[in-house]
Amino acid sequence: MTKEELIEYNVGENLDSLMNLDPRGYGVCRILYKGSRDYTGEPLSIHSAKELMKVVKPGDPVFIFVGFILIPHKCPETDGMVSIMMLARALVQAFGAKPIVVCPEESARAVEQCAGVVGLHCYRDIKTVLALPMSMGVIAFTKAKNQARQQAEQILAQATPAAAISVECSGSNEDGAYHTALGFDVSDLEAKSDIFWQVLREKGIPTVAIGDLGNENGMAVIADHIKKYVPYTDKGQCQCSCHGGILASTGADNIITATCSDWGCYALMAAISYLKRDKKVMPPEEMPAEVMRVLCRHSIVDMTGSLLPGVDGFDVRLNVLIMDLMRQVTRYAIRYEDPNDNWFGPVLKKGFFEHHK
């Protein structure tokens, strides 16, 4: 292991630890992390960031899948929505990419309202997004299963993405049913964008899936682990007539699991920031709170159903602190890359990290 590999490894460990802080103490994030870490073989945040850096070039479209509609209010939740707005900005900053959000109509309106908060123009026309600088797109995807593949092909006729990233996006189980975390059927409410995701996978588009439970798009990549240890995910464990469990049936090339999906997406952005040595990839400190507030003003709800700003029951302050800690650990790693440092060489010679690649 070289000095550069050691720093990269430990930056990834720091980010993964922060995204899996467990304030609730119920342990699901720890369960998921074991399975996803075994799958990637290295820190999840760094692994996915490196994969994106291999394929995303200036001007490339990157599709971002998001949007989980919650009962009883039938509104989209904040988790996923908060981070994808800043992810869109990060993709523009880091790569000069063209982020295009794929989501339910209810989420699309909120994306348009939040675009200005992150400094981007937002268009529903893909051609316009590709032509204009500092732009992102949003596409309202169908809730009709029999129309999903056709709409996916129509979109791909306009733009082929370099990569696709899914953040807290609903995914159906093997029986085609979409579920809440506790196993209630919400199939009629959800956009069928996981079918679009599967089309992309069939075409070989690189994918990154970010989730926090198992009912999210892409989580089947660690299906056996999730079904063994996470409640409601296996056959017969959901609370609807399908009896198929809540585990989404779609897979992904790369996976990030976290306490809440937004935190996993923040870690991905921070890892890109470190690898690019570009501190501006991470958003300004005030931006996450403002995004949360604007989303809630446009009927995007916290997991609890509240229209007060928050994500998965965690308030604005905690969410901002998590991102700020990620910002700080990456900045310190960049700042202290001193070729004359007296510690890296001696630490590497001891051999401890040779067993932690």
Side-chain angles (χ1 to χ4, degrees), residues 66-70 73-85 103-114 168 262 291-312:
V66 74
F68 219 120
I69 309 296
L70 300 184
H73 298 286
K74 301 180 181 179
C75 294
E77 70 167 320
T78 50
D79 191 21
M81 289 290 292
V82 178
S83 63
I84 65 99
M85 295 308 308
C103 61
E105 176 62 43
E106 297 92 328
S107 300
R109 293 193 295 269
V111 168
E112 290 173 319
Q113 295 298 320
C114 278
E168 191 67 16
D262 272 344
V291 170
M292 276 185 257
R293 294 186 184 103
V294 173
L295 286 172
C296 289
R297 292 182 195 128
H298 291 86
S299 299
I300 310 298
V301 299
D302 181 30
M303 174 187 72
T304 63
S306 173
L307 278 169
L308 294 175
V311 175
D312 276 1

Side-chain angles (χ1 to χ4, degrees), residues 105-154:
E105 176 62 43
E106 297 92 328
S107 300
R109 293 193 295 269
V111 168
E112 290 173 319
Q113 295 298 320
C114 278
V117 179
V118 299
L120 297 177
H121 301 269
C122 188
Y123 302 97
R124 295 210 183 195
D125 175 58
I126 292 177
K127 184 177 180 180
T128 302
V129 177
L130 298 180
L132 295 179
M134 301 300 295
S135 297
M136 64 178 293
V138 62
I139 297 169
F141 204 75
T142 183
K143 295 185 179 185
K145 196 171 291 187
N146 62 356
Q147 297 176 19
R149 186 167 285 266
Q150 179 182 4
Q151 186 182 2
E153 295 293 353
Q154 289 172 346

Side-chain angles (χ1 to χ4, degrees), residues 46-278:
I46 285 287
H47 180 84
S48 287
K50 289 192 295 187
E51 294 304 303
L52 289 175
M53 288 182 64
K54 292 176 185 176
V55 297
V56 181
K57 304 294 186 295
D60 283 348
V62 176
F63 290 173
I64 303 172
F65 289 74
V66 74
F68 219 120
I69 309 296
L70 300 184
I71 52 177
H73 298 286
K74 301 180 181 179
C75 294
E77 70 167 320
T78 50
D79 191 21
M81 289 290 292
V82 178
S83 63
I84 65 99
M85 295 308 308
M86 288 170 287
L87 175 63
R89 175 193 174 279
L91 291 170
V92 173
Q93 175 68 38
F95 303 109
K98 299 289 185 175
I100 298 171
V101 175
V102 180
C103 61
E105 176 62 43
E106 297 92 328
S107 300
R109 293 193 295 269
V111 168
E112 290 173 319
Q113 295 298 320
C114 278
V117 179
V118 299
L120 297 177
H121 301 269
C122 188
Y123 302 97
R124 295 210 183 195
D125 175 58
I126 292 177
K127 184 177 180 180
T128 302
V129 177
L130 298 180
L132 295 179
M134 301 300 295
S135 297
M136 64 178 293
V138 62
I139 297 169
F141 204 75
T142 183
K143 295 185 179 185
K145 196 171 291 187
N146 62 356
Q147 297 176 19
R149 186 167 285 266
Q150 179 182 4
Q151 186 182 2
E153 295 293 353
Q154 289 172 346
I155 294 168
L156 289 172
Q158 302 173 67
T160 301
I165 305 166
S166 180
V167 188
E168 191 67 16
C169 180
S170 60
S172 66
N173 67 8
E174 292 178 348
D175 300 315
Y178 300 74
H179 294 87
T180 67
L182 295 179
F184 295 102
D185 190 345
V186 286
S187 299
D188 291 342
L189 300 179
E190 309 301 339
K192 305 305 181 287
S193 51
D194 58 328
I195 296 176
F196 188 5
W197 179 266
Q198 189 57 35
V199 170
L200 294 176
R201 285 180 51 75
E202 291 167 5
K203 295 180 181 295
I205 303 299
T207 53
V208 177
I210 303 176
D212 59 26
L213 185 63
N215 57 339
E216 304 93 359
N217 184 37
M219 292 296 104
V221 71
I222 55 169
D224 291 343
H225 180 81
I226 290 176
K227 286 190 288 186
K228 183 175 181 179
Y229 293 112
V230 180
Y232 307 108
T233 57
D234 205 356
K235 296 284 187 180
Q237 295 180 352
C238 61
Q239 302 189 53
C240 74
S241 59
C242 84
H243 305 298
I246 72 171
L247 178 65
S249 61
T250 46
D253 300 310
N254 307 282
I255 185 171
I256 294 175
T257 57
T259 301
C260 58
S261 296
D262 272 344
W263 296 3
C265 190
Y266 298 160
L268 175 63
M269 288 187 282
I272 294 171
S273 176
Y274 172 72
L275 293 173
K276 298 283 288 187
R277 305 301 193 271
D278 184 353

